[in-house]
Amino acid sequence: MKNFSYLFIAILISIITVSCQKDDEINPNDKNTVILEFDNRIGDQKLVLGTTTAKNSLNEDFTVTRLNYFVSNVSLKNENGDVVKFNDKYFLVKHSDPTSWLIKLENVPAGNYNEVSYMIGVDSLKSISDVSQRTGVLDPASYGDDNMYWSWNSGYIFFKMEGKSSAIPMNMMNMTEYQFHIGGFGGMTGKTPNNLKNITLPMAISAQVRGDVSPQIHIINDVQKVFSGVNQISIAKSYMTHTPDAGIFIGQNYAKSFIVDHVHNEKD
């Protein structure tokens, strides 16, 4: 009787193991969508435009009233080192538009992906291409009063963050708002700083693309690091940042503001 029990348990374990293996099999013909979710925060607080208050590393208070940034040149690397690139895909994350927080990467081959990379900005090749090739979020005429394009030499504003702060000194224009407008791809008719930022983020839990699994990669952008990711930025001294030269240190900071928080691998 005891031997029968051992045999039964062994058969049961074998069935479970085979079942799990089948569930985890990767069909090379399968494809699905991967979603990048950009979650903008200030430290451990959810970002609410004009409402969420915080202080930077220099104890200067601030709110955020506008936050926009371009995401492009996305790629995913799987556990075998193979890279899937999404060429000629450009996205504009606008905190005022929750639909823009989700970036859909379609027709991703089945596999286990443990690294995501992307650029904050619009690469130089696309920036200098004919305007007829710059449509959708790259259409300079589409921004209205939320302009994301400099008509002069430097092209797109890669990252725009604006808000209020009591640290801003009295000035002739009575401004109480800081404006960080960061761009500069290296120049077209003349050399400018290159503020394009390539970001590579590892994933502790892989994004498991299957025929019936469409992963969602949850990326946190902590905008408090815009002031201190690498360099300490004083709002009182840098509240008007509108040129590629002035934006170098801020660009170096927000290149460190992104992390992958978690991955959802639920079945469709």
Side-chain angles (χ1 to χ4, degrees):
M1 186 70 177
K2 184 181 291 184
N3 289 337
F4 175 79
S5 297
Y6 288 151
L7 179 61
F8 176 77
I9 292 172
I11 292 172
L12 183 61
I13 291 173
S14 177
I15 291 172
I16 292 172
T17 301
V18 171
S19 176
C20 289
Q21 288 175 343
K22 286 184 177 179
D23 286 344
D24 199 44
E25 284 180 356
I26 299 174
N27 185 336
N29 297 316
D30 283 343
K31 293 184 178 181
N32 214 323
T33 299
V34 172
I35 297 175
L36 306 184
E37 178 188 1
F38 284 87
D39 181 3
N40 300 310
R41 300 187 184 183
I42 301 181
D44 58 359
Q45 302 181 83
K46 284 283 189 181
L47 173 58
V48 180
L49 293 178
T51 300
T52 310
T53 59
K55 291 187 176 182
N56 64 12
S57 58
L58 297 174
N59 206 37
E60 297 171 324
D61 65 88
F62 70 94
T63 62
V64 178
T65 56
R66 193 191 309 268
L67 179 65
N68 305 336
Y69 49 91
F70 284 101
V71 175
S72 63
N73 292 272
V74 180
S75 66
L76 296 169
K77 181 188 286 188
N78 67 19
E79 59 189 356
N80 300 318
D82 300 322
V83 177
V84 179
K85 297 182 179 180
F86 301 87
N87 296 321
D88 205 30
K89 300 290 184 182
Y90 300 85
F91 309 91
L92 178 58
V93 177
K94 299 179 65 173
H95 195 74
S96 61
D97 178 11
T99 63
S100 73
W101 304 352
L102 302 178
I103 290 177
K104 292 185 178 181
L105 308 174
E106 298 180 333
N107 297 315
V108 180
N112 298 323
Y113 295 87
N114 52 26
E115 187 177 276
V116 59
S117 299
Y118 53 89
M119 175 184 286
I120 297 296
V122 180
D123 55 90
S124 57
L125 184 62
K126 181 60 73 171
S127 290
I128 64 173
S129 64
D130 188 83
V131 69
S132 64
Q133 300 177 35
R134 291 183 278 131
T135 58
V137 300
L138 296 184
D139 181 359
S142 69
Y143 306 126
D145 62 357
D146 195 10
N147 190 26
M148 292 297 291
Y149 188 80
W150 286 321
S151 58
W152 44 288
N153 188 26
S154 299
Y156 292 95
I157 299 171
F158 304 152
F159 182 95
K160 176 182 283 191
M161 179 169 152
E162 300 175 350
K164 300 283 187 177
S165 175
S166 65
I168 297 173
M170 293 292 292
N171 56 76
M172 293 179 64
M173 298 177 66
N174 293 319
M175 290 188 62
T176 59
E177 182 179 64
Y178 66 88
Q179 297 180 352
F180 296 161
H181 297 182
I182 315 302
F185 60 85
M188 182 166 56
T189 59
K191 188 175 180 180
T192 67
N194 188 341
N195 287 321
L196 293 166
K197 298 302 174 186
N198 292 302
I199 295 171
T200 297
L201 303 176
M203 292 179 264
I205 302 297
S206 63
Q208 300 169 7
V209 180
R210 302 292 187 272
D212 60 351
V213 178
S214 174
Q216 183 160 321
I217 302 170
H218 190 113
I219 298 172
I220 288 178
N221 174 28
D222 178 4
V223 298
Q224 196 158 31
K225 293 182 179 178
V226 171
F227 299 99
S228 59
V230 177
N231 313 291
Q232 278 198 337
I233 302 297
S234 168
I235 298 173
K237 295 179 180 179
S238 305
Y239 63 94
M240 291 293 285
T241 302
H242 283 250
T243 65
D245 284 295
I248 291 174
F249 293 143
I250 294 173
Q252 291 173 348
N253 281 356
Y254 65 66
K256 302 296 184 182
S257 68
F258 298 88
I259 63 167
V260 171
D261 187 64
H262 61 272
V263 178
H264 296 285
N265 283 313
E266 287 80 8
K267 290 187 176 182
D268 295 341

